[in-house]
Amino acid sequence: MRCMRNGQFLLVITLSLSFGAWGQGGSSQAGRGAATQQAGAAGRGGGRSGGGGGAGAIDFYNYDTTASTGMAISDAQPAETHQKITVNGEALAYTARVGYMPLRNATTGQSSAHLFFTYYSKDGVSDASARPLLFSLGGAPGVATSWQEFGGLGPKRMKWTGDGTAGLPPYGWVDNPNTLLGQADLVFVNPVGTAYSRPDQPGRGPDFWTTAADIASLGEFVRSFMNTYDRRNSPLFLAGEDFGTARAAGLAGYLIERHIPIHGVVLLSMTLSADSIAGDAQYITLLPSLIMAAWYHKKLAPELQALGAEQIAEQARQFAAREYLHALYKGDRVTPEERTKAVANLSRLTGLSKAFIVNNNLRITLDRFSSELLRDQRRALSSSDARVTGYVPGSGGGRGGGRGGGGGGIGAAAVDYNLSNLAGGFLTAYEAYLRRELTFTNPSGIFYLLSGGIGTFTSTGSDDASLAGAFVRNPRLHLFVGVNFFDLNAPFYATEFTLAHLNVAPEVRAHNITVGHFEAGQMPYVDNKALAKLHTDLARFINEAMSPAR
């Protein structure tokens, strides 16, 4: 989706928010496109195809940028509470603040927007300047940062059920022993149009919905926050998720250019480079994730099913990088023997029939794989977490669908079953948490969790180029990338491809980049096992980045 030519950023695409521009699945890939775009629309950026544009009196939900006036947000002090949780048998006391930060014009001093944030700082710290400060920036346009805060990184966490869903009401929350608050103070900031963040005038909303403006507004938030809370000298870390990692990468360079040092960047489900999803590369970098999904759903031969996740992932990498790459590269020049072997091995590793693979010319798209793998059960995969499946209704009683279709009715990719299982209960619990525990009673309109607050978003530039540029400006910058085996929107092999081609100095590649792999979908922090590993990995990353020897 993002391209670079001669080091210059190019305007690539303008999309209405359907979790497309920076959204999970908004990769605009020819092969993955249908499933990815639909899954995004129904998922974490979903249910919204226009946005911000005069829907009329019947639309009480979507934010309308054509309105002449909007709800005024006061400059009241954030609500402040003092709390305590137990981590590893020891009490962790902290102060929680929740409210708004005005973004003021440097010339006029007038505010243009108010950003909603939560801030957790550990109590009893004698020198706050020596304590790391991590800003979590959320995901795609339209997606609130509460997913990271209340999903698993903050001191309190959504009380997920045993099957990993939100379950049924009443919903609640629990102390989070895997919070990062033990390692760093935490700020969760929501860009304009997400959560309760709003432009001061509705018509100004589109001014914030470009890559450059999004980064600039968050840069001003960081600067204002550090001045307000006297954290100018604290080691700073930035964290972004899914295709919102673009803002974390871009913001790092933006702040460094404005003389605000950045210590480290955390990217979860990193945005993919254009090269990793171009032409036949899209099938090669997607295939290992499809193999992982087939392995999880026990569609492989017994000897493959007996392997662990890391082992099957390595087999998938080796096949994709060698035999599969060779077959696609040769095209019609491939010999009958080579083609027969490639088809047999693809079938063996994906659980798909040889006929299906032949009919699709060895090129397996995400939507067709999702429809085909569990077709006998009339179930399809969630693109955000391939482990989660849902029923695919037929149309008029017939099976419908072509060789790779979704069986008619609702398409296989029209619903992200994973996010459907999480979002409603999550938002209900989070809003109750804000009111009851954090004593926040000054909301501005609707809390936009996934969509509804942002209209058309213009995405520009190249995320991997932004990262490379940040490393040029600060060779001591540290990067952590979380890679998830079951996230089909950000395939792990595509992320590894992007990192392998990142244009950085050899010493940076050798010492400053850390990669963590998780048996999880898009959001590892909602998975109990993956969250424990994520906490361990991030705690180690922060500690090592703070070490003078690094």
Side-chain angles (χ1 to χ4, degrees):
M1 182 179 68
R2 298 169 179 83
C3 302
M4 182 179 69
R5 181 180 300 162
N6 296 329
Q8 300 297 315
F9 295 164
L10 302 178
L11 174 64
V12 181
I13 195 165
T14 302
L15 296 174
S16 60
L17 179 65
S18 59
F19 208 45
W22 271 355
Q24 201 66 24
S27 50
S28 298
Q29 305 161 34
R32 300 174 199 165
T36 306
Q37 292 165 5
Q38 291 180 47
R44 291 188 56 190
R48 182 168 174 77
S49 58
I58 63 170
D59 192 345
F60 295 99
Y61 184 78
N62 290 332
Y63 188 79
D64 184 1
T65 59
T66 66
S68 57
T69 60
M71 181 180 295
I73 299 177
S74 69
D75 288 337
Q77 290 296 311
E80 183 174 311
T81 57
H82 299 277
Q83 315 238 1
K84 185 181 295 185
I85 62 173
T86 300
V87 177
N88 296 326
E90 296 184 2
L92 174 59
Y94 62 94
T95 298
R97 299 173 180 87
V98 54
Y100 299 96
M101 177 72 70
L103 301 184
R104 300 191 183 280
N105 183 281
T107 303
T108 66
Q110 298 297 311
S111 67
S112 298
H114 282 71
L115 298 192
F116 177 73
F117 72 95
T118 51
Y119 170 35
Y120 301 96
S121 58
K122 182 180 178 181
D123 291 343
V125 176
S126 58
D127 183 9
S129 66
R131 182 160 169 78
L133 183 64
L134 185 146
F135 288 89
S136 184
L137 310 171
V143 179
T145 314
S146 52
W147 283 106
Q148 293 86 56
E149 174 194 358
F150 198 58
L153 302 183
K156 298 296 175 78
R157 180 180 183 236
M158 172 78 181
K159 187 177 182 180
W160 304 109
T161 62
D163 62 0
T165 68
L168 299 173
Y171 304 105
W173 54 91
V174 294
D175 291 355
N176 182 15
N178 291 304
T179 179
L180 280 178
L181 186 56
Q183 285 70 43
D185 291 343
L186 306 174
V187 183
F188 298 90
V189 53
N190 296 273
V192 173
T194 67
Y196 291 127
S197 296
R198 299 288 187 274
D200 285 355
Q201 299 176 11
R204 295 293 304 276
D207 293 348
F208 294 91
W209 300 331
T210 69
T211 297
D214 180 87
I215 289 173
S217 64
L218 289 168
E220 177 56 22
F221 175 91
V222 171
R223 189 195 66 80
S224 297
F225 182 94
M226 292 191 304
N227 289 338
T228 299
Y229 292 100
D230 193 22
R231 300 300 300 267
R232 187 65 175 83
N233 205 31
S234 296
L236 299 185
F237 290 79
L238 306 175
E241 182 182 24
D242 61 69
F243 284 78
T245 57
R247 65 165 56 100
L251 183 57
Y254 179 93
L255 292 173
I256 292 169
E257 283 184 342
R258 285 154 182 81
H259 318 300
I260 298 177
I262 300 299
H263 227 70
V265 175
V266 175
L267 306 181
L268 304 178
S269 296
M270 179 182 175
T271 307
L272 312 177
S273 66
D275 287 344
S276 71
I277 52 175
D280 278 346
Q282 65 183 297
Y283 305 106
I284 295 167
T285 58
L286 174 63
L287 181 63
S289 290
L290 304 186
I291 293 172
M292 294 299 298
W295 171 81
Y296 179 82
H297 290 288
K298 296 180 170 51
K299 290 294 183 176
L300 307 185
E303 66 274 13
L304 293 175
Q305 290 296 157
L307 300 177
E310 292 283 357
Q311 292 173 309
I312 193 68
E314 184 55 27
Q315 284 215 9
R317 291 185 188 100
Q318 295 298 324
F319 175 76
R322 296 175 181 176
E323 184 178 344
Y324 189 52
L325 169 63
H326 178 77
L328 296 190
Y329 179 76
K330 292 189 72 173
D332 290 340
R333 296 172 299 167
V334 70
T335 67
E337 293 77 13
E338 289 172 331
R339 184 177 179 84
T340 297
K341 181 184 177 185
V343 167
N345 284 330
L346 265 175
S347 176
R348 174 175 173 268
L349 287 167
T350 62
L352 303 174
S353 70
K354 294 179 182 179
F356 178 87
I357 292 170
V358 169
N359 288 338
N360 284 277
N361 195 26
L362 279 69
R363 292 160 174 83
I364 307 171
T365 60
L366 175 55
D367 57 330
R368 291 182 176 180
F369 178 83
S370 177
S371 302
E372 187 68 18
L373 184 69
L374 303 176
R375 178 182 288 275
D376 57 338
Q377 304 172 39
R378 296 195 63 84
R379 302 187 73 81
L381 310 181
S382 295
S383 59
S384 66
D385 190 335
R387 299 172 300 177
V388 181
T389 67
Y391 180 72
V392 181
S395 58
R399 289 204 59 162
R403 65 187 180 189
I410 299 176
V415 176
D416 190 305
Y417 312 103
N418 175 49
L419 298 176
S420 297
N421 289 337
L422 301 177
F426 180 86
L427 179 56
T428 300
Y430 184 68
E431 289 192 289
Y433 168 72
L434 290 177
R435 292 192 303 271
R436 299 176 190 173
E437 189 137 343
L438 300 188
T439 67
F440 178 73
T441 58
N442 186 31
S444 174
I446 297 170
F447 188 103
Y448 290 125
L449 177 68
L450 294 172
S451 64
I454 287 183
T456 301
F457 192 97
T458 304
S459 177
T460 59
S462 168
D463 308 332
D464 48 324
S466 296
L467 270 179
F471 274 116
V472 168
R473 293 172 176 83
N474 178 16
R476 295 185 176 183
L477 181 70
H478 293 267
L479 172 66
F480 177 90
V481 179
V483 181
N484 305 314
F485 284 139
F486 301 108
D487 182 357
L488 298 180
N489 291 318
F492 71 92
Y493 197 44
T495 300
E496 293 170 355
F497 178 101
T498 299
L499 290 174
H501 293 80
L502 195 61
N503 191 13
V504 295
E507 58 271 20
V508 167
R509 182 174 298 282
H511 303 294
N512 292 39
I513 299 177
T514 303
V515 181
H517 291 81
F518 304 93
E519 293 184 47
Q522 171 185 287
M523 299 178 287
Y525 43 78
V526 305
D527 183 296
N528 289 331
K529 181 179 177 181
L531 173 60
K533 183 179 186 300
L534 177 64
H535 172 263
T536 299
D537 287 358
L538 289 180
R540 181 185 302 115
F541 169 73
I542 293 172
N543 291 336
E544 291 181 350
M546 293 288 293
S547 172
R550 296 291 294 264

